[in-house]
């Protein structure tokens, strides 16, 4: 067979698989993909290899170690391969925690500091050479080991904040590792009490009302120590050999290009059984899915396509089953919020939500020009904040498919305040006046200098894709409006993540999608101790940090909300960043995709949906 586009080959595989033919195609520039024979096999009740879901990532993945992975797309693969103690109800609104590998919800002590969690029996890791041919059952020791890895200084996980200062004795073990240079994984931690192989008792230093949600986050997945020790690199990270207990396993990986996951035939029995929310479409999903053993899908093919138009074209040619429509492409598919008639006629489906997302524009608070807490630096950042028209950016970059945010906690997340109004609003005239007042004078070229006469230039970092270029153009207009020279630099996504973790970027547009649906997950973005983790602007404001630490001891409610309001005003006062927007997430699916509904917290819905292989 002659060489063809990879999407056409995937489509051909689907058609040939329906006839039960065994086929092996050599992909142009990629590894071979082999489809197993099923000509005379009985119809499987789950994990049907003839049901293939084809989807797209808009940026390249970075690797698949839950403790080390930071980006959304790699974590989507992790979510399919590894399992957490808890997960989310597929249809519930607002989001609701349910057991995953845990055998029921946790028992919580009266003081809120002790959680007893039972583990389901008979859950096994997918076979791997690390297990020497033996079946390897999941036990609570695997979760204890996985939690310890997050705190290992050598791994330098960005997820440390999830456990730091929370579990009795765990911080002390991490501190010893910093001194000795080696983490003692065999050491007992009082706060991680293994009662027996199926019972874990977590002892907290203080109540943490978000612990079940934290335990449902991808970074808290169980990994096997044997696997990590076999495949880890010098940093203790195993990004290339993911072995979990989840519904899928990685069977092919062409870095930055393609990932193929096959259903785990030994996945523990999971029956689709969810109750409808207020959404009227839920009843249709329940009618199609209730009682099925999951996963129904036998294979997931993920292609990485960086260019917007190429992604849409692949979907329009029926080479992709599930596709995220970004705002930049929306006019080609939508009339306002609705599908155009030609797409409706084809049976194309759409699930549309407001992402629990906060996109912020940050300035590096450690930068010698733009950082610091002196009055003239605050004035500079405030002026830059007021110079930017968020609504105009939404219109130009996302074609209106986003909402501007006044408050750092977005809609759909506990703690959101729809009535809050930020003290920083679009006002270029006031921004210019502020710069004049603090001595940022314009030179002959029309651009401002520092108060001491030295050059003033900001470097705006953006992704190499078309969206990054559009965003840079919008910001260039904002800076020109107040006489500040801007230079744009474009880098690959993975490189940007690495640089900002080290506080090396001057300014960036930084999106954050909820790890869990509580305001704490957003207020921690500006906490001083989270620099080099999630605090991308590298901001450390003592007044803010003190209030954040107080908020950690509070349950969600009016008292904590009042504290969050004070913290938000502090951030506005120092203008460490400008709040941006939350985008609409619009997921398009082909008519053959059954039961898909975008979940606001889970990265993927592959375990909850089905494919009609006859369409």
């Amino acid at each position: 067979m002659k060489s063809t586009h990879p999407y056409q080959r995937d489509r051909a595989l689907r058609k040939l698989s329906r006839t039960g033919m065994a086929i092996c195609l050599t992909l142009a520039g990629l590894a071979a993909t082999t489809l197993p024979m099923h000509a005379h096999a009985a119809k499987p009740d789950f994990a049907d290899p003839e049901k293939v879901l084809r989807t797209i990532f808009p940026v390249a993945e970075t690797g698949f170690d839950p403790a080390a992975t930071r980006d959304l797309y790699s974590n989507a693969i992790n979510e399919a391969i590894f399992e957490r103690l808890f997960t989310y109800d597929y249809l519930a609104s607002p989001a609701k925690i349910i057991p995953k590998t845990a055998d029921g919800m946790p028992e919580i002590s009266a003081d809120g500091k002790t959680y007893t969690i039972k583990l389901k029996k008979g859950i096994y890791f997918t076979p791997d050479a690390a297990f020497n041919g033996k079946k390897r059952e999941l036990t609570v020791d695997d979760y204890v080991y996985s939690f310890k890895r997050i705190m290992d200084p050598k791994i330098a996980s960005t997820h440390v904040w999830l456990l730091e200062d929370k579990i009795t004795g765990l911080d002390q073990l991490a501190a010893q590792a910093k001194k000795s240079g080696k983490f003692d994984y065999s050491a007992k931690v009082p706060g991680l009490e293994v009662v027996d192989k199926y019972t874990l008792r977590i002892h907290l230093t203080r109540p943490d009302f978000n612990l079940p949600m934290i335990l449902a986050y991808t970074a808290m997945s169980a990994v096997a120590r044997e696997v990590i020790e076999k495949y880890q690199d010098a940093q203790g990270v195993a990004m290339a050999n993911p072995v979990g207990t989840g519904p899928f396993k990685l069977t092919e990986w062409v870095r930055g290009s393609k990932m193929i996951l096959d259903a785990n035939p030994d996945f523990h029995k999971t029956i689709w059984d969810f109750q409808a929310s207020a959404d009227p479409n839920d009843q249709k999903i329940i009618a199609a899915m209730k009682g099925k053993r999951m996963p129904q899908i036998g294979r997931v093919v993920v292609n990485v396509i960086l260019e917007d138009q190429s992604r849409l074209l692949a979907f329009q040619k029926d080479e992709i089953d599930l596709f995220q429509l970004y705002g930049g492409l929306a006019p080609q598919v939508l009339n306002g919020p609705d599908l155009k008639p030609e797409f409706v006629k084809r049976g194309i489906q759409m699930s549309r939500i407001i992402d629990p997302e906060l996109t912020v524009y940050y300035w590096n608070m450690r930068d010698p020009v733009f950082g610091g807490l002196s009055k003239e630096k605050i004035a500079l950042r405030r002026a830059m904040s007021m110079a930017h028209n968020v609504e105009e950016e939404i219109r130009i970059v996302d074609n209106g498919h986003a909402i501007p945010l006044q408050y750092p906690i977005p809609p759909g997340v506990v703690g959101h305040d729809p009535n809050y109004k930020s003290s920083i609003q679009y006002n270029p005239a006031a921004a210019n006046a502020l710069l004049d007042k603090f001595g940022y004078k314009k030179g002959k070229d029309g651009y401002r200098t520092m108060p001491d006469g030295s050059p003033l230039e900001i470097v705006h970092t953006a992704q190499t894709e078309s969206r990054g270029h559009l965003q840079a153009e919008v910001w260039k207009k904002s800076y020109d409006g107040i006489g500040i020279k801007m230079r744009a630099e474009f880098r690959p996504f993975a490189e940007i993540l690495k640089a900002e973790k080290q506080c090396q970027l001057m300014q960036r547009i930084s999106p954050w999608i909820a790890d869990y649906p509580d305001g704490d997950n957003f207020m921690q973005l500006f906490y001083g101790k989270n620099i080099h983790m999630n605090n991308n602007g590298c901001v450390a404001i003592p007044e803010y940090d003190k209030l954040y630490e107080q908020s950690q001891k509070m349950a969600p409610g009016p008292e904590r909300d009042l504290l969050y309001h004070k913290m938000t005003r502090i951030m506005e006062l120092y203008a460490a960043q400008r709040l941006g927007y939350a985008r609409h997430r619009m997921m398009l699916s082909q008519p053959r995709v059954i039961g898909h509904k975008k979940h606001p917290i889970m990265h993927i819905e592959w375990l909850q949906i089905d494919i009609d292989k006859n369409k």
Side-chain angles (χ1 to χ4, degrees):
M1 184 179 287
K2 68 178 182 179
S3 175
T4 56
H5 191 281
Y7 295 115
Q8 294 172 324
R9 284 189 288 274
D10 287 336
R11 194 176 183 185
L13 281 174
R14 176 190 294 280
K15 290 180 179 179
L16 290 170
S17 69
R18 292 174 189 163
T19 67
M21 296 176 64
I23 190 165
C24 179
L25 297 176
T26 302
L27 303 181
L30 302 179
T33 301
T34 304
L35 189 70
M37 286 194 292
H38 299 282
H40 305 291
K43 181 181 178 182
D45 72 329
F46 85 115
D48 187 340
E50 295 181 9
K51 294 180 177 180
V52 181
L53 178 74
R54 304 159 301 168
T55 189
I56 295 174
F57 283 174
V59 297
E61 76 295 339
T62 57
F64 314 115
D65 184 330
T69 303
R70 188 185 183 200
D71 66 287
L72 173 66
Y73 301 100
S74 301
N75 267 326
I77 300 296
N78 286 342
E79 192 168 291
I81 294 173
F82 301 98
E83 290 190 286
R84 283 68 55 206
L85 287 161
F86 303 99
T87 186
Y88 289 88
D89 186 300
Y90 183 44
L91 299 181
S93 181
K96 177 185 175 184
I97 291 287
I98 60 173
K100 181 67 170 168
T101 60
D103 190 12
M105 295 302 289
E107 297 176 11
I108 307 173
S109 63
D111 63 1
K113 294 171 63 176
T114 301
Y115 284 69
T116 302
I117 300 168
K118 297 283 187 179
L119 189 66
K120 293 175 183 174
K121 299 178 181 179
I123 297 176
Y124 293 90
F125 285 92
T126 55
D128 187 85
F131 303 134
N132 298 316
K134 299 178 182 178
K135 287 190 71 174
R136 173 63 159 78
E137 187 178 15
L138 175 72
T139 71
V140 295
D141 280 318
D142 297 309
Y143 282 104
V144 170
Y145 172 71
S146 302
F147 300 165
K148 287 178 177 178
R149 290 189 72 233
I150 290 175
M151 298 295 290
D152 187 340
K154 185 171 72 170
I155 291 174
S157 174
T158 60
H159 308 299
V160 167
W161 67 277
L162 293 167
L163 299 177
E164 195 172 38
D165 299 327
K166 293 181 181 180
I167 296 177
T168 304
L170 188 56
D171 291 272
Q172 288 79 358
L173 186 61
Q176 291 171 12
K178 284 183 180 179
K179 292 180 179 179
S180 67
K182 185 175 181 180
F183 196 99
D184 184 0
Y185 282 99
S186 298
K188 291 188 179 298
V189 175
L192 296 172
E193 180 190 354
V194 177
V195 179
D196 56 53
K197 65 188 296 187
Y198 303 112
T199 308
L200 175 63
R201 191 165 287 137
I202 300 176
H203 301 279
L204 302 175
T205 58
R206 54 175 169 76
D208 186 343
F209 302 95
N210 292 325
L211 185 62
M213 288 189 285
I214 289 171
L215 295 177
Y217 180 53
T218 316
M220 308 301 288
S221 300
V223 298
R225 184 170 181 173
E226 306 97 302
V227 171
I228 299 299
E229 292 182 347
K230 181 176 178 64
Y231 300 113
Q232 67 187 353
D233 59 18
Q235 192 182 344
V237 172
M239 295 290 263
N241 299 87
V243 178
T245 64
F248 295 95
K249 56 184 179 179
L250 185 68
T251 53
E252 183 178 326
W253 181 22
V254 182
R255 291 175 185 267
S257 177
K258 189 169 189 175
M259 288 144 279
I260 295 179
L261 297 96
D262 286 335
N264 175 7
D266 300 316
F267 183 59
H268 53 97
K269 192 168 185 179
T270 302
I271 304 299
W272 201 104
D273 185 20
F274 298 102
Q275 303 299 313
S277 70
D279 185 346
N281 293 322
D282 286 1
Q283 292 296 344
K284 180 180 177 181
I285 294 174
I286 290 171
M289 297 299 300
K290 190 175 180 63
K292 291 182 178 181
R293 183 175 175 186
M294 307 306 289
Q296 284 289 303
I297 293 168
R299 170 167 287 187
V300 179
V301 180
V302 183
N303 284 280
V304 177
I305 306 181
L306 304 182
E307 207 280 321
D308 289 353
Q309 195 62 48
S310 298
R311 293 195 296 270
L312 178 57
L313 183 62
F315 182 79
Q316 289 175 316
K317 288 183 175 181
D318 196 16
E319 296 163 352
I320 293 298
D321 299 299
L322 189 62
F323 163 63
Q324 182 176 350
L325 177 70
Y326 287 92
L329 296 174
Q332 299 182 51
V333 180
L334 305 180
N335 283 327
D338 302 315
L339 288 168
K340 289 183 174 180
E342 57 264 38
F343 288 91
V344 175
K345 187 176 180 179
R346 286 175 51 191
I348 300 301
Q349 307 166 95
M350 180 172 69
S351 178
R352 183 175 185 264
I353 65 170
I354 296 176
D355 256 340
E357 174 193 53
L358 169 65
T359 291
V360 297
Y361 317 105
Y362 71 74
W363 294 278
N364 185 347
M365 292 290 283
R366 291 186 173 181
D367 184 83
V369 175
F370 296 94
L373 303 180
S374 63
K375 289 182 179 180
E376 68 273 10
K377 298 297 180 65
I378 294 170
L380 175 59
R381 292 192 301 270
R382 179 172 285 273
M384 294 189 295
S385 297
M386 292 191 293
H388 191 64
N389 189 334
V390 176
E391 293 187 357
E392 182 179 56
E393 180 184 337
I394 290 172
R395 178 178 58 80
I396 293 172
V397 179
D398 289 298
N399 285 294
H401 291 283
I403 59 170
L405 295 178
Q406 299 283 325
Y407 197 59
I409 302 173
V413 175
V414 176
H416 172 66
D417 184 352
N419 300 314
Y420 185 92
K421 188 172 179 65
S422 174
S423 63
I424 297 178
Q425 299 291 328
Y426 175 60
N427 191 336
N432 274 300
L434 190 61
L435 291 172
D436 291 340
K437 179 180 178 180
F438 280 86
Y440 294 92
K441 298 177 181 179
K442 288 186 178 180
K444 293 181 180 180
D445 60 358
Y447 287 109
R448 297 181 184 272
T449 63
M450 295 289 289
D452 63 3
S454 60
L456 174 61
E457 181 185 59
I458 191 158
V459 179
H460 172 89
T461 303
Q463 291 173 219
T464 54
E465 295 77 40
S466 57
R467 178 182 178 84
H469 285 265
L470 269 179
Q471 290 173 323
E473 289 174 13
V474 173
W475 267 99
K476 179 70 165 58
K477 179 182 176 182
S478 297
Y479 284 122
D480 283 347
I482 55 174
I484 292 179
K485 185 179 293 185
M486 186 200 101
R487 175 169 59 87
E489 65 165 14
F490 301 97
R491 301 194 194 182
F493 181 58
E495 186 179 314
I496 289 175
L497 292 181
K498 183 178 180 180
E500 73 180 359
K501 185 180 176 183
Q502 301 302 321
C503 300
Q504 294 174 350
L505 302 184
M506 193 176 287
Q507 189 212 1
R508 183 192 170 218
I509 302 174
S510 179
W512 178 269
I513 298 177
D515 299 325
Y516 52 88
D518 185 81
D520 175 71
N521 192 229
F522 291 88
M523 304 308 285
Q524 61 87 22
L525 295 173
F526 316 110
Y527 179 47
K529 286 188 177 181
N530 286 355
I531 293 173
H532 305 310
M533 289 186 279
N534 305 321
N535 184 341
N536 295 332
C538 304
V539 54
I541 300 174
E543 302 99 304
Y544 183 96
D545 291 351
K546 183 179 179 180
L547 293 179
Y548 177 74
E549 289 166 2
Q550 290 180 25
S551 74
Q552 287 269 284
K553 303 172 184 177
M554 297 179 180
E559 187 179 0
R560 192 184 70 165
D561 290 344
L562 180 61
L563 219 55
Y564 282 171
H565 278 225
K566 292 179 180 178
M567 293 159 65
T568 302
R569 292 299 185 199
I570 289 171
M571 295 303 292
E572 292 167 9
L573 174 66
Y574 288 99
Q577 77 290 310
R578 170 79 152 90
L579 297 184
Y581 50 83
R583 289 168 290 180
H584 293 128
R585 184 174 293 247
M586 299 167 286
M587 299 297 298
L588 303 184
S589 57
Q590 299 289 356
R592 68 180 69 87
V593 177
I594 301 171
H596 181 265
K597 179 179 181 178
K598 184 69 200 97
H599 192 276
I601 305 299
M602 293 190 297
H603 300 316
I604 54 171
E605 296 79 27
W606 304 341
L607 177 61
Q608 288 80 20
I609 63 178
D610 197 359
I611 292 283
D612 184 344
K613 60 186 180 183
N614 296 313
K615 287 187 178 180

